[in-house]
Short mmCIF file of all heavy atoms in Angstrom, two decimals:
data_model
loop_
_atom_site.label_atom_id
_atom_site.label_comp_id
_atom_site.label_asym_id
_atom_site.label_seq_id
_atom_site.Cartn_x
_atom_site.Cartn_y
_atom_site.Cartn_z
N MET A 1 95.98 -24.97 44.22
CA MET A 1 95.89 -23.96 45.28
C MET A 1 95.02 -24.49 46.43
O MET A 1 93.82 -24.68 46.26
CB MET A 1 95.27 -22.67 44.74
CG MET A 1 96.20 -21.89 43.83
SD MET A 1 97.49 -21.08 44.77
CE MET A 1 98.76 -20.95 43.51
N ALA A 2 95.61 -24.72 47.55
CA ALA A 2 94.86 -25.21 48.71
C ALA A 2 94.60 -24.05 49.66
O ALA A 2 95.48 -23.23 49.90
CB ALA A 2 95.66 -26.29 49.43
N ILE A 3 93.40 -24.00 50.19
CA ILE A 3 93.07 -22.96 51.17
C ILE A 3 93.07 -23.57 52.56
O ILE A 3 92.51 -24.64 52.78
CB ILE A 3 91.74 -22.25 50.85
CG1 ILE A 3 91.46 -21.16 51.88
CG2 ILE A 3 90.59 -23.23 50.75
CD1 ILE A 3 90.37 -20.19 51.45
N ASN A 4 93.71 -22.86 53.47
CA ASN A 4 93.76 -23.27 54.87
C ASN A 4 92.63 -22.54 55.60
O ASN A 4 92.81 -21.45 56.12
CB ASN A 4 95.13 -22.91 55.44
CG ASN A 4 95.32 -23.43 56.87
OD1 ASN A 4 94.35 -23.73 57.56
ND2 ASN A 4 96.55 -23.53 57.29
N ARG A 5 91.44 -23.16 55.60
CA ARG A 5 90.25 -22.47 56.12
C ARG A 5 90.38 -22.17 57.62
O ARG A 5 89.93 -21.14 58.09
CB ARG A 5 89.00 -23.33 55.90
CG ARG A 5 88.65 -23.42 54.44
CD ARG A 5 87.36 -24.18 54.20
NE ARG A 5 87.16 -24.35 52.77
CZ ARG A 5 86.73 -23.40 51.95
NH1 ARG A 5 86.45 -22.21 52.42
NH2 ARG A 5 86.60 -23.63 50.67
N GLU A 6 91.02 -23.08 58.32
CA GLU A 6 91.19 -22.88 59.76
C GLU A 6 92.02 -21.64 60.03
O GLU A 6 91.71 -20.82 60.89
CB GLU A 6 91.87 -24.12 60.34
CG GLU A 6 91.73 -24.27 61.83
CD GLU A 6 92.30 -25.60 62.31
OE1 GLU A 6 92.15 -26.60 61.59
OE2 GLU A 6 92.89 -25.60 63.38
N TRP A 7 93.10 -21.49 59.25
CA TRP A 7 93.97 -20.32 59.44
C TRP A 7 93.21 -19.04 59.10
O TRP A 7 93.27 -18.06 59.84
CB TRP A 7 95.23 -20.47 58.58
CG TRP A 7 96.23 -19.39 58.87
CD1 TRP A 7 97.21 -19.44 59.83
CD2 TRP A 7 96.33 -18.12 58.25
NE1 TRP A 7 97.91 -18.25 59.83
CE2 TRP A 7 97.40 -17.43 58.88
CE3 TRP A 7 95.63 -17.48 57.23
CZ2 TRP A 7 97.77 -16.14 58.52
CZ3 TRP A 7 96.00 -16.18 56.87
CH2 TRP A 7 97.06 -15.52 57.50
N HIS A 8 92.48 -19.06 57.98
CA HIS A 8 91.73 -17.87 57.59
C HIS A 8 90.68 -17.49 58.64
O HIS A 8 90.43 -16.31 58.87
CB HIS A 8 91.06 -18.08 56.23
CG HIS A 8 91.97 -17.75 55.10
ND1 HIS A 8 92.14 -16.47 54.63
CD2 HIS A 8 92.78 -18.54 54.36
CE1 HIS A 8 93.03 -16.49 53.64
NE2 HIS A 8 93.42 -17.74 53.45
N ALA A 9 90.05 -18.49 59.24
CA ALA A 9 89.00 -18.21 60.23
C ALA A 9 89.57 -17.50 61.45
O ALA A 9 88.85 -16.75 62.12
CB ALA A 9 88.34 -19.53 60.64
N THR A 10 90.85 -17.71 61.72
CA THR A 10 91.45 -17.12 62.92
C THR A 10 92.36 -15.94 62.59
O THR A 10 92.91 -15.31 63.48
CB THR A 10 92.24 -18.18 63.71
OG1 THR A 10 93.16 -18.83 62.84
CG2 THR A 10 91.31 -19.22 64.30
N HIS A 11 92.56 -15.65 61.32
CA HIS A 11 93.40 -14.53 60.90
C HIS A 11 92.66 -13.68 59.87
O HIS A 11 92.84 -13.87 58.67
CB HIS A 11 94.73 -15.03 60.31
CG HIS A 11 95.58 -15.77 61.28
ND1 HIS A 11 95.34 -17.08 61.65
CD2 HIS A 11 96.67 -15.38 62.00
CE1 HIS A 11 96.25 -17.44 62.53
NE2 HIS A 11 97.06 -16.44 62.76
N LYS A 12 91.85 -12.77 60.38
CA LYS A 12 91.12 -11.87 59.48
C LYS A 12 91.94 -10.60 59.28
O LYS A 12 92.44 -10.03 60.25
CB LYS A 12 89.76 -11.49 60.10
CG LYS A 12 88.89 -12.69 60.43
CD LYS A 12 88.09 -13.11 59.23
CE LYS A 12 87.05 -14.15 59.64
NZ LYS A 12 86.62 -14.97 58.50
N LEU A 13 92.04 -10.17 58.03
CA LEU A 13 92.70 -8.91 57.75
C LEU A 13 91.64 -7.81 57.63
O LEU A 13 90.80 -7.87 56.73
CB LEU A 13 93.50 -9.01 56.45
CG LEU A 13 94.32 -7.77 56.08
CD1 LEU A 13 95.44 -7.54 57.08
CD2 LEU A 13 94.88 -7.89 54.68
N PRO A 14 91.65 -6.83 58.53
CA PRO A 14 90.64 -5.76 58.44
C PRO A 14 90.77 -4.99 57.14
O PRO A 14 91.87 -4.83 56.60
CB PRO A 14 90.97 -4.85 59.63
CG PRO A 14 91.93 -5.60 60.48
CD PRO A 14 92.60 -6.62 59.62
N ARG A 15 89.65 -4.49 56.65
CA ARG A 15 89.66 -3.71 55.40
C ARG A 15 90.53 -2.47 55.52
O ARG A 15 91.12 -2.03 54.55
CB ARG A 15 88.24 -3.27 55.05
CG ARG A 15 87.48 -4.32 54.29
CD ARG A 15 86.17 -3.77 53.74
NE ARG A 15 85.42 -4.85 53.10
CZ ARG A 15 85.63 -5.26 51.86
NH1 ARG A 15 86.53 -4.68 51.13
NH2 ARG A 15 84.92 -6.25 51.36
N ASN A 16 90.55 -1.89 56.71
CA ASN A 16 91.32 -0.65 56.90
C ASN A 16 92.68 -0.91 57.54
O ASN A 16 93.22 -0.05 58.21
CB ASN A 16 90.51 0.34 57.74
CG ASN A 16 90.20 -0.20 59.13
OD1 ASN A 16 90.41 -1.39 59.38
ND2 ASN A 16 89.72 0.63 60.02
N ALA A 17 93.21 -2.14 57.33
CA ALA A 17 94.48 -2.50 57.96
C ALA A 17 95.59 -1.57 57.49
O ALA A 17 95.63 -1.16 56.33
CB ALA A 17 94.84 -3.94 57.61
N LYS A 18 96.48 -1.24 58.42
CA LYS A 18 97.64 -0.44 58.08
C LYS A 18 98.62 -1.28 57.26
O LYS A 18 98.56 -2.51 57.26
CB LYS A 18 98.34 0.05 59.35
CG LYS A 18 97.51 0.99 60.19
CD LYS A 18 98.32 1.43 61.41
CE LYS A 18 97.50 2.33 62.32
NZ LYS A 18 96.42 1.56 63.00
N LEU A 19 99.55 -0.59 56.59
CA LEU A 19 100.52 -1.29 55.75
C LEU A 19 101.28 -2.35 56.54
O LEU A 19 101.44 -3.47 56.08
CB LEU A 19 101.49 -0.28 55.12
CG LEU A 19 102.57 -0.90 54.22
CD1 LEU A 19 101.96 -1.68 53.06
CD2 LEU A 19 103.50 0.17 53.70
N ASP A 20 101.71 -2.01 57.75
CA ASP A 20 102.45 -2.98 58.56
C ASP A 20 101.62 -4.22 58.85
O ASP A 20 102.13 -5.34 58.84
CB ASP A 20 102.88 -2.34 59.89
CG ASP A 20 104.14 -1.49 59.73
OD1 ASP A 20 104.69 -1.43 58.60
OD2 ASP A 20 104.57 -0.88 60.72
N GLU A 21 100.32 -4.00 59.11
CA GLU A 21 99.43 -5.14 59.38
C GLU A 21 99.26 -6.00 58.13
O GLU A 21 99.23 -7.22 58.20
CB GLU A 21 98.07 -4.63 59.86
CG GLU A 21 98.12 -3.98 61.24
CD GLU A 21 96.78 -3.38 61.63
OE1 GLU A 21 96.24 -2.56 60.87
OE2 GLU A 21 96.28 -3.75 62.70
N ARG A 22 99.14 -5.31 57.00
CA ARG A 22 99.00 -6.05 55.74
C ARG A 22 100.26 -6.87 55.44
O ARG A 22 100.18 -8.02 55.04
CB ARG A 22 98.73 -5.07 54.59
CG ARG A 22 97.33 -4.49 54.63
CD ARG A 22 97.20 -3.28 53.72
NE ARG A 22 97.63 -3.58 52.36
CZ ARG A 22 96.86 -4.22 51.45
NH1 ARG A 22 95.65 -4.58 51.77
NH2 ARG A 22 97.31 -4.46 50.25
N LEU A 23 101.42 -6.25 55.64
CA LEU A 23 102.68 -6.96 55.39
C LEU A 23 102.77 -8.18 56.28
O LEU A 23 103.09 -9.28 55.82
CB LEU A 23 103.87 -6.04 55.67
CG LEU A 23 104.12 -4.92 54.66
CD1 LEU A 23 105.25 -4.03 55.17
CD2 LEU A 23 104.46 -5.47 53.30
N ASN A 24 102.48 -7.98 57.56
CA ASN A 24 102.58 -9.08 58.51
C ASN A 24 101.58 -10.19 58.15
O ASN A 24 101.91 -11.37 58.17
CB ASN A 24 102.30 -8.54 59.92
CG ASN A 24 102.60 -9.57 60.98
OD1 ASN A 24 103.64 -10.23 60.94
ND2 ASN A 24 101.70 -9.73 61.93
N TRP A 25 100.36 -9.80 57.80
CA TRP A 25 99.34 -10.77 57.43
C TRP A 25 99.79 -11.60 56.23
O TRP A 25 99.65 -12.83 56.21
CB TRP A 25 98.01 -10.06 57.15
CG TRP A 25 96.86 -11.00 56.94
CD1 TRP A 25 96.00 -11.45 57.90
CD2 TRP A 25 96.44 -11.60 55.70
NE1 TRP A 25 95.07 -12.29 57.33
CE2 TRP A 25 95.32 -12.41 55.98
CE3 TRP A 25 96.91 -11.52 54.38
CZ2 TRP A 25 94.65 -13.14 55.00
CZ3 TRP A 25 96.26 -12.25 53.40
CH2 TRP A 25 95.14 -13.05 53.71
N HIS A 26 100.33 -10.92 55.24
CA HIS A 26 100.72 -11.64 54.02
C HIS A 26 101.90 -12.57 54.26
O HIS A 26 101.96 -13.65 53.67
CB HIS A 26 101.02 -10.65 52.88
CG HIS A 26 99.77 -10.23 52.17
ND1 HIS A 26 99.10 -11.06 51.31
CD2 HIS A 26 99.06 -9.08 52.22
CE1 HIS A 26 98.02 -10.42 50.85
NE2 HIS A 26 97.97 -9.23 51.39
N VAL A 27 102.84 -12.15 55.12
CA VAL A 27 103.95 -13.04 55.45
C VAL A 27 103.42 -14.29 56.15
O VAL A 27 103.76 -15.41 55.79
CB VAL A 27 104.99 -12.32 56.34
CG1 VAL A 27 105.98 -13.30 56.94
CG2 VAL A 27 105.73 -11.25 55.53
N MET A 28 102.53 -14.08 57.13
CA MET A 28 101.92 -15.20 57.84
C MET A 28 101.10 -16.06 56.88
O MET A 28 101.15 -17.29 56.94
CB MET A 28 100.99 -14.69 58.96
CG MET A 28 101.71 -13.92 60.04
SD MET A 28 102.46 -15.01 61.24
CE MET A 28 100.97 -15.64 62.03
N HIS A 29 100.36 -15.38 56.04
CA HIS A 29 99.49 -16.10 55.10
C HIS A 29 100.31 -16.99 54.17
O HIS A 29 99.99 -18.16 53.97
CB HIS A 29 98.65 -15.12 54.29
CG HIS A 29 97.75 -15.79 53.32
ND1 HIS A 29 98.02 -15.83 51.97
CD2 HIS A 29 96.61 -16.49 53.50
CE1 HIS A 29 97.05 -16.52 51.37
NE2 HIS A 29 96.18 -16.93 52.27
N ALA A 30 101.39 -16.42 53.62
CA ALA A 30 102.19 -17.18 52.67
C ALA A 30 102.79 -18.43 53.32
O ALA A 30 102.99 -19.45 52.66
CB ALA A 30 103.29 -16.30 52.09
N ALA A 31 103.06 -18.33 54.62
CA ALA A 31 103.67 -19.46 55.32
C ALA A 31 102.64 -20.51 55.71
O ALA A 31 102.99 -21.66 55.97
CB ALA A 31 104.39 -18.96 56.58
N ASN A 32 101.37 -20.13 55.75
CA ASN A 32 100.34 -21.03 56.28
C ASN A 32 99.29 -21.44 55.27
O ASN A 32 98.50 -22.35 55.54
CB ASN A 32 99.64 -20.37 57.47
CG ASN A 32 100.52 -20.32 58.70
OD1 ASN A 32 100.71 -21.32 59.36
ND2 ASN A 32 101.09 -19.17 58.98
N CYS A 33 99.21 -20.75 54.17
CA CYS A 33 98.13 -21.01 53.22
C CYS A 33 98.61 -20.72 51.80
O CYS A 33 99.52 -19.93 51.59
CB CYS A 33 96.94 -20.14 53.58
SG CYS A 33 95.49 -20.43 52.57
N ASP A 34 97.96 -21.36 50.87
CA ASP A 34 98.42 -21.33 49.49
C ASP A 34 97.32 -20.84 48.55
O ASP A 34 97.37 -21.07 47.35
CB ASP A 34 98.81 -22.77 49.12
CG ASP A 34 99.73 -22.83 47.92
OD1 ASP A 34 100.43 -21.83 47.67
OD2 ASP A 34 99.74 -23.87 47.25
N CYS A 35 96.29 -20.16 49.09
CA CYS A 35 95.12 -19.87 48.27
C CYS A 35 95.35 -18.71 47.31
O CYS A 35 94.66 -18.60 46.30
CB CYS A 35 93.89 -19.63 49.13
SG CYS A 35 93.85 -18.05 49.98
N ARG A 36 96.29 -17.83 47.61
CA ARG A 36 96.60 -16.78 46.64
C ARG A 36 98.00 -16.26 46.86
O ARG A 36 98.59 -16.42 47.92
CB ARG A 36 95.58 -15.63 46.71
CG ARG A 36 95.54 -14.87 48.01
CD ARG A 36 94.37 -13.89 47.93
NE ARG A 36 94.05 -13.32 49.22
CZ ARG A 36 94.34 -12.06 49.57
NH1 ARG A 36 95.01 -11.28 48.76
NH2 ARG A 36 93.98 -11.60 50.74
N GLU A 37 98.52 -15.63 45.81
CA GLU A 37 99.87 -15.10 45.84
C GLU A 37 99.92 -13.80 46.62
O GLU A 37 98.91 -13.10 46.74
CB GLU A 37 100.32 -14.80 44.40
CG GLU A 37 100.28 -16.01 43.51
CD GLU A 37 101.67 -16.41 43.07
OE1 GLU A 37 102.56 -15.54 43.07
OE2 GLU A 37 101.86 -17.58 42.76
N ILE A 38 101.11 -13.46 47.10
CA ILE A 38 101.32 -12.15 47.69
C ILE A 38 101.24 -11.11 46.57
O ILE A 38 101.89 -11.27 45.55
CB ILE A 38 102.69 -12.09 48.39
CG1 ILE A 38 102.75 -13.10 49.54
CG2 ILE A 38 102.96 -10.68 48.90
CD1 ILE A 38 104.07 -13.10 50.29
N PRO A 39 100.44 -10.05 46.75
CA PRO A 39 100.35 -9.02 45.70
C PRO A 39 101.72 -8.39 45.44
O PRO A 39 102.55 -8.29 46.34
CB PRO A 39 99.39 -7.98 46.30
CG PRO A 39 98.67 -8.68 47.39
CD PRO A 39 99.59 -9.76 47.89
N ALA A 40 101.93 -7.95 44.20
CA ALA A 40 103.23 -7.38 43.82
C ALA A 40 103.61 -6.20 44.70
O ALA A 40 104.76 -6.04 45.06
CB ALA A 40 103.19 -6.96 42.36
N SER A 41 102.60 -5.39 45.09
CA SER A 41 102.91 -4.21 45.90
C SER A 41 103.44 -4.62 47.27
O SER A 41 104.31 -3.97 47.84
CB SER A 41 101.66 -3.34 46.05
OG SER A 41 100.63 -4.06 46.67
N ILE A 42 102.89 -5.72 47.81
CA ILE A 42 103.35 -6.21 49.11
C ILE A 42 104.75 -6.81 48.97
O ILE A 42 105.63 -6.58 49.81
CB ILE A 42 102.37 -7.27 49.66
CG1 ILE A 42 100.98 -6.66 49.89
CG2 ILE A 42 102.90 -7.90 50.94
CD1 ILE A 42 100.90 -5.68 51.04
N LYS A 43 104.97 -7.56 47.89
CA LYS A 43 106.30 -8.14 47.66
C LYS A 43 107.37 -7.05 47.57
O LYS A 43 108.44 -7.17 48.16
CB LYS A 43 106.30 -8.94 46.34
CG LYS A 43 105.95 -10.39 46.53
CD LYS A 43 106.15 -11.14 45.21
CE LYS A 43 105.57 -12.54 45.32
NZ LYS A 43 105.45 -13.19 44.02
N ARG A 44 107.03 -5.99 46.85
CA ARG A 44 107.99 -4.88 46.71
C ARG A 44 108.31 -4.28 48.06
O ARG A 44 109.46 -3.95 48.35
CB ARG A 44 107.44 -3.80 45.77
CG ARG A 44 107.73 -4.06 44.31
CD ARG A 44 107.58 -2.78 43.50
NE ARG A 44 106.24 -2.24 43.59
CZ ARG A 44 105.21 -2.61 42.82
NH1 ARG A 44 105.40 -3.51 41.89
NH2 ARG A 44 104.03 -2.08 42.98
N GLU A 45 107.29 -4.09 48.89
CA GLU A 45 107.50 -3.49 50.20
C GLU A 45 108.35 -4.41 51.08
O GLU A 45 109.23 -3.95 51.80
CB GLU A 45 106.15 -3.20 50.85
CG GLU A 45 106.23 -2.39 52.13
CD GLU A 45 106.85 -1.00 51.96
OE1 GLU A 45 106.69 -0.40 50.88
OE2 GLU A 45 107.50 -0.53 52.91
N LEU A 46 108.09 -5.72 51.03
CA LEU A 46 108.89 -6.66 51.81
C LEU A 46 110.35 -6.60 51.36
O LEU A 46 111.27 -6.57 52.20
CB LEU A 46 108.36 -8.09 51.62
CG LEU A 46 107.03 -8.41 52.28
CD1 LEU A 46 106.56 -9.81 51.89
CD2 LEU A 46 107.12 -8.30 53.80
N GLU A 47 110.57 -6.57 50.04
CA GLU A 47 111.94 -6.52 49.53
C GLU A 47 112.62 -5.22 49.94
O GLU A 47 113.78 -5.20 50.31
CB GLU A 47 111.94 -6.70 48.01
CG GLU A 47 111.78 -8.16 47.64
CD GLU A 47 111.37 -8.36 46.18
OE1 GLU A 47 111.48 -7.41 45.39
OE2 GLU A 47 110.92 -9.48 45.87
N ALA A 48 111.85 -4.12 49.90
CA ALA A 48 112.40 -2.82 50.29
C ALA A 48 112.85 -2.84 51.75
O ALA A 48 113.77 -2.12 52.13
CB ALA A 48 111.37 -1.73 50.06
N ARG A 49 112.17 -3.65 52.57
CA ARG A 49 112.53 -3.74 53.99
C ARG A 49 113.53 -4.84 54.27
O ARG A 49 113.86 -5.12 55.43
CB ARG A 49 111.26 -4.01 54.81
CG ARG A 49 110.30 -2.83 54.78
CD ARG A 49 109.01 -3.16 55.47
NE ARG A 49 108.08 -2.03 55.36
CZ ARG A 49 107.25 -1.67 56.33
NH1 ARG A 49 107.22 -2.34 57.45
NH2 ARG A 49 106.45 -0.66 56.16
N GLY A 50 113.97 -5.53 53.22
CA GLY A 50 114.96 -6.58 53.39
C GLY A 50 114.38 -7.85 53.99
O GLY A 50 115.12 -8.66 54.56
N LEU A 51 113.05 -8.03 53.86
CA LEU A 51 112.41 -9.24 54.38
C LEU A 51 112.24 -10.23 53.24
O LEU A 51 111.95 -9.84 52.11
CB LEU A 51 111.04 -8.90 54.97
CG LEU A 51 111.06 -7.91 56.13
CD1 LEU A 51 109.65 -7.46 56.45
CD2 LEU A 51 111.69 -8.53 57.34
N SER A 52 112.40 -11.50 53.56
CA SER A 52 112.23 -12.50 52.52
C SER A 52 110.76 -12.90 52.44
O SER A 52 110.02 -12.78 53.42
CB SER A 52 113.11 -13.72 52.78
OG SER A 52 112.76 -14.31 53.99
N VAL A 53 110.36 -13.37 51.30
CA VAL A 53 109.00 -13.80 51.08
C VAL A 53 108.93 -15.30 51.30
O VAL A 53 109.53 -16.06 50.55
CB VAL A 53 108.54 -13.45 49.64
CG1 VAL A 53 107.11 -13.91 49.42
CG2 VAL A 53 108.68 -11.95 49.40
N PRO A 54 108.23 -15.73 52.35
CA PRO A 54 108.18 -17.17 52.63
C PRO A 54 107.23 -17.89 51.69
O PRO A 54 106.35 -17.28 51.09
CB PRO A 54 107.66 -17.23 54.06
CG PRO A 54 106.83 -16.00 54.21
CD PRO A 54 107.43 -14.95 53.29
N SER A 55 107.44 -19.18 51.57
CA SER A 55 106.48 -19.99 50.82
C SER A 55 106.14 -21.21 51.66
O SER A 55 106.94 -21.64 52.49
CB SER A 55 107.08 -20.42 49.48
OG SER A 55 108.00 -21.46 49.70
N PRO A 56 104.94 -21.76 51.49
CA PRO A 56 104.56 -22.93 52.30
C PRO A 56 105.53 -24.07 52.10
O PRO A 56 105.82 -24.81 53.03
CB PRO A 56 103.17 -23.30 51.76
CG PRO A 56 102.66 -22.07 51.09
CD PRO A 56 103.88 -21.33 50.58
N ARG A 57 106.06 -24.21 50.90
CA ARG A 57 106.95 -25.32 50.61
C ARG A 57 108.22 -25.25 51.44
O ARG A 57 108.80 -26.26 51.79
CB ARG A 57 107.32 -25.33 49.12
CG ARG A 57 106.20 -25.90 48.28
CD ARG A 57 106.27 -25.34 46.86
NE ARG A 57 104.95 -25.11 46.32
CZ ARG A 57 104.26 -23.98 46.51
NH1 ARG A 57 104.79 -22.98 47.18
NH2 ARG A 57 103.06 -23.85 46.01
N SER A 58 108.65 -24.03 51.74
CA SER A 58 109.91 -23.89 52.48
C SER A 58 109.77 -24.33 53.93
O SER A 58 110.75 -24.51 54.61
CB SER A 58 110.38 -22.43 52.43
OG SER A 58 109.52 -21.60 53.20
N LEU A 59 108.53 -24.48 54.41
CA LEU A 59 108.32 -24.84 55.81
C LEU A 59 108.06 -26.32 56.01
O LEU A 59 108.11 -26.81 57.12
CB LEU A 59 107.10 -24.07 56.37
CG LEU A 59 107.24 -22.56 56.44
CD1 LEU A 59 105.95 -21.96 56.95
CD2 LEU A 59 108.39 -22.17 57.35
N LYS A 60 107.77 -27.02 54.92
CA LYS A 60 107.39 -28.43 55.08
C LYS A 60 108.53 -29.38 54.73
O LYS A 60 109.58 -28.95 54.37
CB LYS A 60 106.17 -28.72 54.21
CG LYS A 60 104.95 -28.11 54.85
CD LYS A 60 103.71 -28.29 53.98
CE LYS A 60 102.53 -27.55 54.61
NZ LYS A 60 101.43 -27.38 53.67
ZN1 ZN B 1 94.70 -18.23 52.09
#
C-alpha cells in the first residue's frame, strides 16, 4: 500500500463532507493513491449511481 502524500496534502476531505463530496473524494483518491480501499458504503453508492470504481492500476 503506497500513500501519495502530495495528493493527500492538497485533497483534504472535511469531516462534515456531504455524500457527494465523499463520493467524489474517494473516486479521486482511488485513482491517485493506494493507501486504503474505498469503503463498502461508498462502493455501493457509486454502483447505485452507475459509476465505476477506478483503481490506480487502470491509469498506469
Ligand atoms: Zn491515500
Side-chain angles (χ1 to χ4, degrees):
M1 287 286 155
I3 181 165
N4 186 340
R5 291 184 186 283
E6 198 174 323
W7 188 88
H8 274 276
T10 52
H11 296 78
K12 303 274 190 202
L13 184 66
R15 275 190 184 277
N16 61 348
K18 295 182 183 70
L19 179 59
D20 279 358
E21 292 175 305
R22 287 165 54 80
L23 288 174
N24 190 45
W25 187 92
H26 276 287
V27 168
M28 297 278 290
H29 180 256
N32 288 284
C33 184
D34 200 25
C35 74
R36 64 186 167 106
E37 301 247 336
I38 298 181
S41 60
I42 298 290
K43 269 187 189 166
R44 273 199 300 274
E45 188 61 32
L46 288 174
E47 281 163 15
R49 293 174 183 217
L51 299 169
S52 61
V53 180
S55 76
R57 282 154 217 87
S58 69
L59 296 177
K60 286 176 184 164

